[in-house]
Each structure stands twice: as C-alpha cells, then as structure tokens.
Amino acid sequence: MQPPSRRTILTLGLLLTTGTPLAACTSGPGDAPGTPARDPRRPDPDEPVRLRAVAATDLLLAGYDALLPQAPQLQALRTEVAQHRAALQPTTTTPPTTPTAPAGTAPTTLAALATLERRTAQSRLADLGAASPQLARLLASVSTAGVLHAVALGDPAPSAAPSTTSTPAPGEPAAPFQDALSAEHAAIYGYGVVGARLPDDQKRTDARTALAAHQSHRDAWQRLLTAAGATPAAAAPGYQLPFPVTDAPTATRLAAHLETSLTTVYADLVAAVPAPQRPLAADALRESALRAHHWGATPTPFPGFPNTPTPPPTPTP
C-alpha cells in the first residue's frame, strides 16, 4: 500500500483503534499541505497529468479574472484556484510557469463559471488512474474543491452517483478498505447521536439522509472486503464523542465534524488503493465534503488535507 502523507487514524473525533500512525511528510512550496516534497532535480513522471491539470486551472483563472471587476466577492474563490495551480505545477529545474492565455473560451457570467468549475472538477477525476498515488489524492481534493466552488457560484449540488469498483486482487492489502469501513461505523454511531439531538424538522430529515448514505457506504465496504476474502471489521461497542452533544447546535457541529474528518479518510484512501478503485474513494470524498458544507463546516482549499496532525484515537473503556 502506498502510505498517505499524513495517515488518518480515523480521526472522526470518535475513539477507536485502527492502523499505526505514520509521520507527517514535509510539503514543498508547490504542494498541498501534507504532501511529500518533490525533488526538482528528478524527472517528474506525473508531468503530463500535471500539465493538463494546470491548463484547466488557467482557464478557470481567466474566468475569475474576467468577472472580478463586477463581482469582487469572487476573490476568495479565485485565491483558492490559484493555490490549486501552485500545487499542481509540474516539478522542473526551471522556475514555475506563469498562467498563460488559455486555449478555451473563458466564461463571462457567474452561471457559466459555475458550469466550468463543475466540468473541470469532473475532468480532473479522469486522470486519477494515470497519476501517482499522492497526485491522485491531490487531484481528488482539488476536484472536490471545484464542486464546492460550483455550488457557491449557484450550481446545484450534484447528486451522489454510485461508482463501480473492482474487487481487490488476492494479496492486495485490505487495511485501507478496513479503515474506511471502521470510519463509516464511527460515522453511523455519530449520526445516531446527531439525530437524537435535532428537532423533528428538516435538519433531522437531513441527518437521516446522511445516516442512510453512510450505511450504504458501510455495506459497500463490507461486500468488497468479503469478496476479497477478508473479514470486515466490526463496529466498536461504543465511541467517545469529541465534545458534549446536548442540543441542536452541538449536534449540527458534530455532523460537520464527522463529515470533515471523513474527507481526510477518503482523500487518504484515494492514495492508498489501486487505480481502479480510486474513483469510488474520490466520490466518497466529494459526498462528505458536500455534506460538511451543508452542516456549516468552514471550507478549505484542499478538502481532505488536514492542516495539522491529529492525535491518535483510543478505544473507549
């Protein structure tokens, strides 16, 4: 298994046992937080993928620049897109390239920019199989950020479309799939607490919908592991919450916390699994990021990349 740069120990704020934590890697100036620094003296095997990603990002930047004079509120999103470009920049011995006039036509309306963000986000996933594990993780994160940008610009949130995935070949490590399953067990427990503290209104309905989605992911990981000849991890008898949940505001905060933490689980999973299974992990990353946004989580330019290491969890007594 290719180890992620900052291995999530299923830090949902719920305490359970998983794999051994790995040391955080150092980021280079052109990388997302937590990615290993690239050596500019070595050829970059990801350069073709990076160049395609940068070209698509340049078109987005052109669209933002065209609309900024009449819509200055776009500056925050434009800044994130520029951060994406810097992280996707190929490694070379020469100075990084500067944005150039893109070949495509830049959007001239907010609606067109939202559509471009959504289409660009989808196109980034097409290169998941051709990228190295760490670049695949970054592409999935940047794609997710693009979907969130599209939503912020008025594009309707995409519905969850189930992905198909192959069963792990005999001999492939099951640990990353077990980690994802254990994370879903913890999220299901957490949403049980969330639903119990919300009034019987739309928020409780949304919590039920999220719970059903996590149960579906749990069932999918169990089937995948069973088909691969592994015994799926069982849910723990109980989990310790990261903070007291006593009312609707703290329940909403817990839901946002659960989904934000799951984005890290699934970003790590993109880097940990073989290429045919990366789209499934990337879709789960996007779904959790959209739910985190719905529950009021603070957006970040790189969903799934934690800013600081989190302490390893422990089982409840």
Side-chain angles (χ1 to χ4, degrees):
M1 178 182 82
Q2 172 71 30
S5 60
R6 186 177 284 126
R7 176 71 174 274
T8 304
I9 323 299
L10 304 186
T11 49
L12 305 178
L14 306 174
L15 307 185
L16 64 160
T17 303
T18 63
T20 303
L22 302 182
C25 297
T26 303
S27 298
D31 294 313
T35 55
R38 303 191 302 269
D39 186 348
R41 297 169 298 180
R42 291 177 145 188
D44 184 359
D46 283 324
E47 184 168 349
V49 176
R50 288 182 178 277
L51 287 174
R52 286 193 292 272
V54 167
T57 308
D58 284 346
L59 184 57
L60 283 174
L61 287 171
Y64 278 100
D65 289 341
L67 292 170
L68 270 175
Q70 62 263 35
Q73 71 274 15
L74 296 179
Q75 183 58 58
L77 296 181
R78 200 263 182 209
T79 298
E80 289 194 358
V81 175
Q83 289 177 279
H84 297 160
R85 190 187 193 281
L88 292 164
Q89 180 76 38
T91 300
T92 63
T93 55
T94 58
T97 61
T98 55
T100 57
T105 303
T108 56
T109 65
L110 290 178
L113 183 58
T115 299
L116 181 61
E117 278 277 19
R118 174 170 46 81
R119 290 177 177 171
T120 303
Q122 186 61 36
S123 71
R124 298 196 193 281
L125 301 183
D127 266 331
L128 286 181
S132 66
Q134 290 303 330
L135 179 57
R137 181 175 184 248
L138 177 59
L139 286 172
S141 175
V142 172
S143 173
T144 296
V147 171
L148 292 172
H149 289 178
V151 171
L153 291 166
D155 201 53
S159 58
S163 297
T164 59
T165 184
S166 61
T167 301
E172 287 182 355
F177 306 103
Q178 296 283 21
D179 285 354
L181 174 58
S182 294
E184 292 295 353
H185 284 319
I188 289 166
Y189 177 91
Y191 266 104
V193 177
V194 169
R197 296 293 184 270
L198 290 175
D200 192 10
D201 59 10
Q202 184 59 48
K203 280 193 172 183
R204 182 178 284 186
T205 300
D206 293 344
R208 290 194 186 107
T209 300
L211 174 61
H214 289 297
Q215 290 170 331
S216 178
H217 276 300
R218 175 203 61 194
D219 295 346
W221 291 126
Q222 287 175 332
R223 288 193 298 269
L224 184 149
L225 285 161
T226 299
T231 301
Y239 299 89
Q240 182 176 323
L241 299 176
F243 46 81
V245 179
T246 58
D247 52 19
T250 52
T252 300
R253 179 184 164 203
L254 177 60
H257 179 86
L258 290 168
E259 298 294 355
T260 299
S261 298
L262 274 168
T263 63
T264 307
V265 171
Y266 283 118
D268 285 354
L269 189 65
V270 172
V273 299
Q277 287 141 358
R278 289 174 182 170
L280 184 66
D283 284 350
L285 165 60
R286 183 200 69 229
E287 292 172 28
S288 285
L290 285 168
R291 284 192 291 265
H293 172 76
H294 172 77
W295 293 115
T298 302
T300 65
F302 296 97
F305 284 78
N307 293 325
T308 56
T310 48
T314 56
T316 55

